[in-house]
Amino acid sequence: MTTAYKNLIDGELISTNRTMEVLNPANEDVIGIVPSCGKEELDRAVAAARKAFPAWSKTSIDDRRAVIQKISAAIKDNADELFRLLTQEQGKPHEQAKGEIFGAAGMVAAQSTLSLDDEINEDSDTRLSRTRRVPVGVVGGIVPWNFPVMMAMQKIAPAMLSGCTIVLKPSPYTPLATLRIAELIKDIVPAGVVNIITGEDALGPMITEHPDIDKITFTGSTATGKKIMEGASKDLKRITLELGGNDASIVLPDADVGKVAEQLFWSSFSNAGQICVAAKRIYIHEDIYDDLSQAIAEYARTVTVGDGSQQGTGVGPIQNKKQFERVKELIQDARDNGYKFLTGGEEGDPSGTGYYVPITILDNPPEDARIVAEEQFGPVMPLMKFATVDEAVERANASEYGLAGAVWTADTDKGVEIAERLETGTVWVNEYLHLSPFAPFGGHKQSGFGAEYGKEGLQEFTYPQVITVKKNAMA
Ligand code: NAD
């Protein structure tokens, strides 16, 4: 039976006459029906958020923390149901879906502990100057399909903590677990503080251009991010953009092949490669290239591609047909150009159901190959050979993107030295994919604008207000 899900507006669960179907990418079955909101529902949601704003923004930060912690607990208490639903709609294997649900609950709880303390700019004999942080107002949140729950919650939690209210739109491909969370938090959150509405892609621009929304927080592609910036410019909305990446890893000759092969594999293939910060290009020093590339390919052959709800699946399907076609096109391009495959590269069964792509690893394709130059966002990884560190750094930085990167080496001082030369917002030395709710996460260059997480991320939901008092002026 297909479940009908509702939206959350002004503390009520609502349905609409127009609806959308949500598919399971593992078998293309319809698994949910969700509302398709248009301008009327958006206006209602924004009006509810606006109405709730004055009272919510005046509550104490401790009271807001307590509500956010209840949301975290509700997610944790219902984790079993939520991770299964997440696998069904997103495709990721159960273990990874569990990681996202518990990760989201933990991130929400951690974010609730952040503070927005006043800062003293000057406290002299003549003057006291203090910066306080005031919430921007109504936030529009727009979320992609790769980590739908984590991304939704990393917008909702800081918006609430700052004193803002929010209207959040999940991706039309993956709204179900988020709408289940909407049901779970309906009676926890005061009416209108959090509104969750679903709709086709056309709903996104309506949010961006809505005159009564003060800020947009967006995660998705760089192409859409640019449209959001343009739309938001009409009334100078504040924006935070978390966008695409073409993240490079550099493996130095002193790296232990036996230790890093498996980690490098998962740095690329977790969530079927659909992670903004996945390793999308791996540069390996020529002294260890043959050994390491063989070790990665050997490990890849032990990993099962399949339905994420089945035990033993390591890599699930691509989340949607459009992305599936794009990834297949990149593999076809590699075949057409005669690039060598260490594993994968075959066409797959065109008559089969589900958006499965075999694990594909390319052997030293040229720098201008599409699979190297573009963000693949799928289970396809190019391994490239380099001779000198300067060359590797130059090739890693030769991108319009600047999201994340990694250095793998036995010499961590050297690793840090190279990390500091990479033009990205996050760089890991000898690990991957670790993001802290207490550290700012944001892209350089065309990978983003502003940051999420940490004090910087929280402050993006506020305006600074400086209050200056002249001392003894009336004395
Ligand atoms: P997308 O840009 O196609 O869609 C993201 C969201 O924007 C969806 O909710 C969509 O409905 C909405 N949208 C589409 N057109 C819009 C418009 N004109 N105005 C407003 N909203 C609109 O991205 P996607 O395909 O869902 O996600 C994949 C991309 O997201 C990849 O490039 C990936 O790297 C990036 N991403 C970045 C991060 C990060 O934190 N930097 C995290 C995850 C994904």
Side-chain angles (χ1 to χ4, degrees):
M1 200 188 73
T2 309
T3 310
Y5 291 79
K6 294 187 174 177
N7 283 183
L8 178 63
I9 298 181
D10 205 9
E12 301 290 332
L13 295 173
I14 65 112
S15 0
T16 54
N17 291 333
R18 270 169 53 89
T19 55
M20 308 184 297
E21 290 182 341
V22 178
L23 305 185
N24 180 343
N27 52 29
E28 300 172 55
D29 286 349
V30 176
I31 50 167
I33 305 283
V34 303
S36 178
C37 292
K39 185 165 180 325
E40 187 200 325
E41 291 82 10
L42 173 62
D43 283 346
R44 274 168 54 200
V46 174
R50 177 61 59 199
K51 190 176 68 175
F53 177 68
W56 179 251
S57 60
K58 283 186 187 61
T59 53
S60 74
I61 195 163
D62 283 339
D63 287 350
R64 298 200 291 270
R65 268 193 195 108
V67 177
I68 296 167
Q69 281 160 9
K70 281 187 194 158
I71 295 176
S72 168
I75 295 173
K76 222 189 273 174
D77 292 348
N78 293 276
D80 198 66
E81 178 196 350
L82 287 170
F83 87 71
R84 287 173 202 283
L85 187 55
L86 180 59
T87 292
Q88 268 198 318
E89 65 174 334
Q90 205 284 331
K92 65 187 64 184
H94 272 166
E95 277 312 307
Q96 293 174 34
K98 245 184 236 178
E100 179 172 345
I101 297 298
F102 282 108
M107 180 276 299
V108 167
Q111 292 239 332
S112 78
T113 66
L114 293 170
S115 295
L116 282 169
D117 296 333
D118 291 2
E119 280 173 27
I120 302 296
N121 310 307
E122 179 183 340
D123 187 2
S124 63
D125 291 344
T126 50
R127 187 173 293 109
L128 176 62
S129 166
R130 166 176 70 94
T131 303
R132 64 191 283 263
R133 290 275 162 184
V134 293
V136 294
V138 175
V139 173
I142 303 177
V143 175
W145 45 258
N146 61 338
F147 280 84
V149 173
M150 181 63 99
M151 305 281 156
M153 298 320 299
Q154 75 191 38
K155 300 191 180 329
I156 289 173
M160 288 179 70
L161 186 66
S162 69
C164 291
T165 56
I166 184 165
V167 176
L168 183 110
K169 185 191 91 62
S171 165
Y173 294 118
T174 53
L176 301 185
T178 311
L179 293 182
R180 180 67 188 113
I181 292 173
E183 285 175 19
L184 294 170
I185 66 172
K186 174 177 128 9
D187 298 322
I188 294 176
V189 177
V193 170
V194 175
N195 305 273
I196 303 182
I197 59 173
T198 46
E200 314 276 348
D201 275 348
L203 185 59
M206 287 184 217
I207 294 176
T208 310
E209 295 188 18
H210 198 289
D212 214 18
I213 289 181
D214 303 293
K215 176 194 166 68
I216 301 291
T217 171
F218 169 79
T219 303
S221 63
T222 295
T224 307
K226 288 178 185 174
K227 289 185 194 153
I228 295 212
M229 198 170 203
E230 198 183 333
S233 73
K234 297 197 174 115
D235 50 5
L236 280 184
K237 284 186 178 62
R238 273 36 190 177
I239 49 172
T240 303
L241 306 175
E242 294 291 357
L243 308 177
N246 194 7
D247 307 357
S249 290
I250 297 175
V251 190
L252 299 191
D254 63 1
D256 183 328
V257 169
K259 281 199 180 130
V260 300
E262 190 175 330
Q263 295 182 69
L264 284 168
F265 175 86
W266 288 113
S267 74
S268 266
F269 289 96
S270 295
N271 205 34
Q274 304 160 114
I275 306 186
C276 53
V277 290
K280 293 175 184 143
R281 305 175 280 157
I282 300 190
Y283 295 97
I284 302 173
H285 191 271
E286 58 188 8
D287 287 358
I288 57 165
Y289 181 86
D290 290 343
D291 285 352
L292 183 54
S293 59
Q294 289 306 328
I296 295 172
E298 212 166 284
Y299 179 76
R301 287 183 209 105
T302 69
V303 177
T304 306
V305 177
D307 182 335
S309 67
Q310 301 302 308
Q311 196 150 15
T313 296
V315 171
I318 298 283
Q319 198 285 320
N320 60 74
K321 190 154 199 305
K322 190 170 153 214
Q323 185 61 19
F324 179 53
E325 296 301 336
R326 182 179 144 68
V327 173
K328 284 197 301 184
E329 187 188 301
L330 288 174
I331 296 174
Q332 182 63 45
D333 178 77
R335 267 202 303 269
D336 291 347
N337 281 287
Y339 305 145
K340 282 200 328 216
F341 293 90
L342 285 158
T343 183
E346 59 271 9
E347 281 207 37
D349 174 8
S351 63
T353 53
Y355 307 136
Y356 297 105
V357 170
I359 290 169
T360 301
I361 302 179
L362 282 123
D363 184 8
N364 204 25
E367 208 60 19
D368 63 354
R370 282 188 63 193
I371 191 61
V372 182
E374 297 179 22
E375 183 189 36
Q376 64 272 49
F377 224 60
V380 189
M381 166 166 74
L383 304 180
M384 275 85 62
K385 221 181 263 192
F386 73 88
T388 68
V389 166
D390 285 350
E391 173 208 338
V393 168
E394 191 182 321
R395 288 164 75 184
N397 285 339
S399 170
E400 68 197 18
Y401 294 115
L403 194 58
V407 185
W408 298 83
T409 173
D411 180 347
T412 48
D413 289 343
K414 174 105 181 143
V416 170
E417 205 180 286
I418 296 170
E420 288 178 357
R421 295 173 64 191
L422 295 182
E423 297 165 354
T424 62
T426 297
V427 193
W428 292 282
V429 177
N430 294 336
E431 70 167 341
Y432 219 81
L433 304 177
H434 171 78
L435 296 178
S436 161
F438 304 114
F441 170 63
H444 294 189
K445 302 197 263 187
Q446 294 192 34
S447 284
F449 195 92
E452 289 190 301
Y453 288 162
K455 189 173 151 197
E456 285 88 342
L458 183 59
Q459 285 183 346
E460 295 218 1
F461 291 89
T462 67
Y463 295 123
Q465 184 187 44
V466 179
I467 299 197
T468 304
V469 179
K470 179 84 184 284
K471 290 184 183 169
N472 307 317
M474 305 293 162

